[in-house]
Amino acid sequence: MRIALYEPEIAGNVGAVMRLGACLGVAVDLIEPLGFAWDDRRVRRTAMDYIDHVSVTRHADFAAFRSTVAPPRLVLFTTKSERSSYDFAFRPDDVLLFGKESAGVPADIAAMCDARLRLPIRAAVRSMNLATATALALGEALRQTGGLPG
């Protein structure tokens, strides 16, 4: 299983997702352009020393990501879906894709995904923080597939 972030804009979110990947043994793919300088201190500050325990791959764009990472299934998490992530059967080799904080992914990218899922939240709020959403989605996917460590 892998986490892929499409054009993430906030260094702190990327750092938190990298830390999550380190803790749960999941690689992280970053699909550029990033909304911050990669050498930004905030990434390392949020990821802390966990940054050395996660495999991170940067891709120049979505096409480069798709050519390098050929997942059996690309599972998009989006507020534009009605299908709950808790009613979906994950597989151990799924790639969980999350869009940029301000706009998600474009429609053409969403159309290339094998599944589009939503994390259930109250109707009165728009969306969750990217790192929080990633943690919830990854936790459920790993729980279903028996991939949670120790």
Side-chain angles (χ1 to χ4, degrees):
M1 195 165 294
R2 303 176 73 87
I3 298 167
L5 302 180
Y6 178 84
E7 299 182 2
E9 299 166 315
I10 302 172
N13 283 337
V14 172
V17 170
M18 289 170 57
R19 186 173 179 172
L20 176 70
C23 289
L24 296 181
V26 175
V28 176
D29 293 283
L30 301 176
I31 303 164
E32 297 183 357
L34 306 178
F36 55 91
W38 175 247
D39 62 354
D40 194 311
R41 290 188 333 260
R42 291 174 292 175
V43 173
R44 183 163 283 281
R45 183 176 37 221
T46 307
M48 297 179 12
D49 58 333
Y50 296 84
I51 202 166
D52 299 323
H53 299 281
V54 62
S55 172
V56 177
T57 305
R58 291 171 56 197
H59 306 274
D61 54 28
F62 190 77
F65 164 73
R66 288 296 287 187
S67 69
T68 306
V69 178
R73 285 198 314 186
L74 188 57
V75 180
L76 174 64
F77 285 81
T78 173
T79 59
K80 297 176 180 86
S81 177
E82 295 301 318
R83 186 172 186 189
S84 171
S85 57
Y86 298 108
D87 296 328
F88 183 77
F90 291 94
R91 298 179 191 157
D93 54 359
D94 284 339
V95 174
L96 310 182
L97 176 64
F98 299 84
K100 66 169 83 179
E101 292 90 338
S102 66
V105 299
D108 62 324
I109 302 257
M112 290 185 230
C113 296
D114 300 292
R116 286 169 293 288
L117 306 177
R118 180 182 182 95
L119 291 167
I121 61 174
R122 294 178 33 226
V125 294
R126 189 176 66 249
S127 64
M128 288 184 193
N129 169 273
L130 174 64
T132 302
T134 304
L136 284 170
L138 180 61
E140 174 62 11
L142 291 176
R143 182 195 68 79
Q144 283 187 22
T145 60
L148 287 169

